[in-house]
Amino acid sequence: MKWSISIIALLLLWSCGNNQEQNAQGKWIKGTEQEKLETIENQFRGFDMAMVEAGYRYQELYWAGQDENWEYADYQIEKIRKAIENGLERRPKRAKSAEHFLTVALPEMKKALEKRDTVIFNKNFQMLTNSCNSCHAMEKVPHFTVKTHFTDNHQFVNNYVPKNN
């Protein structure tokens, strides 16, 4: 009996000391821990993916304002903010250019929504657009020009259905 308890104790001690970190592999994320982190970072990319999301949300914000769907517009402002903040985590050198947009342009747009007035919304949306273009110029990508010439096909591009329909 003492012999079996001794063997069990020995096995337990051995298993505790032999606890090597396993290198789990995914279906497409493989390699060392460092290689897997690099793969994941590559998938998130830099600031460009943040801009893709912000651009999509910008258009949704526009249509929400035109449709006077103020709650949806407010939701888009928050998502634009989050997309840019997430992008800044990946590319902190862009923070200075984005500062005015995050601390002035978006809060002003949010205030405009509180008025629930399309005319005020459109005026502030144009200021938001100017802020986008200003940031692009500061980042030396002025060829990324944001314009408000949308066609009313947004309901076919995504699941958004205008409030007035």
Side-chain angles (χ1 to χ4, degrees), residues 84 88 94-105 107 135 138:
I84 291 172
L88 291 174
R94 305 233 190 266
K96 185 159 178 56
S97 298
E99 183 179 353
H100 180 269
F101 186 82
L102 290 171
T103 61
V104 177
C135 185
M138 285 188 279

Side-chain angles (χ1 to χ4, degrees), residues 8-161:
I8 291 172
L10 245 161
L11 286 173
L12 284 172
L13 284 172
W14 179 77
S15 68
C16 289
N18 198 22
N19 189 12
Q20 296 176 352
E21 186 177 316
Q22 289 189 341
N23 191 3
Q25 301 293 312
K27 289 182 181 180
W28 61 272
I29 299 177
K30 300 190 181 297
T32 65
E33 293 301 310
Q34 183 60 39
E35 290 167 338
K36 288 188 284 187
L37 281 173
E38 288 171 9
T39 298
I40 292 167
E41 286 179 340
N42 267 349
Q43 292 299 315
F44 279 110
R45 300 190 12 198
F47 209 73
D48 61 330
M49 294 310 291
M51 288 291 91
V52 169
E53 181 178 356
Y56 165 75
R57 304 260 182 212
Y58 169 85
Q59 290 182 49
E60 289 296 289
L61 172 61
Y62 174 80
W63 288 115
Q66 300 317 296
D67 296 334
E68 298 180 356
N69 188 342
W70 307 117
E71 292 81 13
Y72 188 64
D74 188 56
Y75 175 81
Q76 295 307 324
I77 287 175
E78 291 310 312
K79 292 300 181 178
I80 290 169
R81 174 184 304 287
K82 186 66 173 167
I84 291 172
E85 288 172 348
N86 287 346
L88 291 174
E89 281 185 38
R90 295 187 297 272
R91 292 295 186 268
K93 68 179 183 176
R94 305 233 190 266
K96 185 159 178 56
S97 298
E99 183 179 353
H100 180 269
F101 186 82
L102 290 171
T103 61
V104 177
L106 278 181
E108 287 298 317
M109 191 72 233
K110 200 165 178 70
K111 283 184 201 170
L113 293 182
E114 293 170 5
K115 305 276 191 235
R116 298 181 178 269
D117 181 313
T118 307
V119 173
I120 293 170
F121 172 87
N122 287 335
K123 179 181 172 221
N124 279 275
F125 191 82
Q126 187 56 55
M127 288 190 289
L128 183 73
T129 302
N130 295 343
S131 183
C132 292
N133 289 321
S134 174
C135 185
H136 294 170
M138 285 188 279
E139 287 298 320
K140 299 182 180 24
V141 290
H143 48 281
F144 293 150
T145 304
V146 179
K147 298 179 181 176
T148 56
H149 304 291
F150 306 126
T151 58
D152 192 9
N153 68 347
H154 64 287
Q155 58 225 103
F156 301 109
V157 176
N158 57 53
N159 294 326
Y160 173 65
V161 178

